[in-house]
Amino acid sequence: MTTMYNNKFVLTVMVGGKPIQDKKGYIELAEGTEYSIRFRNKHNQDAAVFFSLDNEDASGDGYIVRANSYIDIERFANVSKKFKLASLDSDAAIL
């Protein structure tokens, strides 16, 4: 699975509610694939999450991941469209 783990905090890329399989350190998604990011907190206390995608703030004021729980984020905090893989020259990537 494509998972990043650091000090009891886990990030996983999900498609259709399922983790993506890792291909030797990277993942392959077809253009147009919608995805989400799962943040899992294995600590006994709540954690704040702030993240960016393509050097753009994606989390706004941040998200709280409760102790020993997880949240799935499927869009930028300030945009109503879901995360979707786009080619670099597509209208979606340029806008």
Side-chain angles (χ1 to χ4, degrees), residues 17 20 46 62 83 86 93:
I20 299 300
D46 296 349
F83 294 141

Side-chain angles (χ1 to χ4, degrees), residues 28-43:
E28 294 181 21
L29 296 176
E31 185 177 336
T33 300
E34 290 183 348
Y35 63 94
S36 62
I37 302 172
R38 175 169 289 173
F39 294 98
R40 182 177 300 277
N41 179 7
K42 294 186 169 191
H43 287 274

Side-chain angles (χ1 to χ4, degrees), residues 1-2 6 8-9 15 18 27 29 33-35 37 39-40 45 52 62-63 67 69-70 79 81 83 85-86 88 94:
M1 290 179 255
T2 300
N6 186 0
K8 294 188 175 184
F9 203 84
V15 172
K18 297 182 180 176
I27 58 174
L29 296 176
T33 300
E34 290 183 348
Y35 63 94
I37 302 172
F39 294 98
R40 182 177 300 277
Q45 52 186 257
S52 61
Y63 297 93
S69 187
Y70 68 89
V79 177
K81 294 180 183 176
F83 294 141
L85 190 69
L88 292 175
I94 296 168

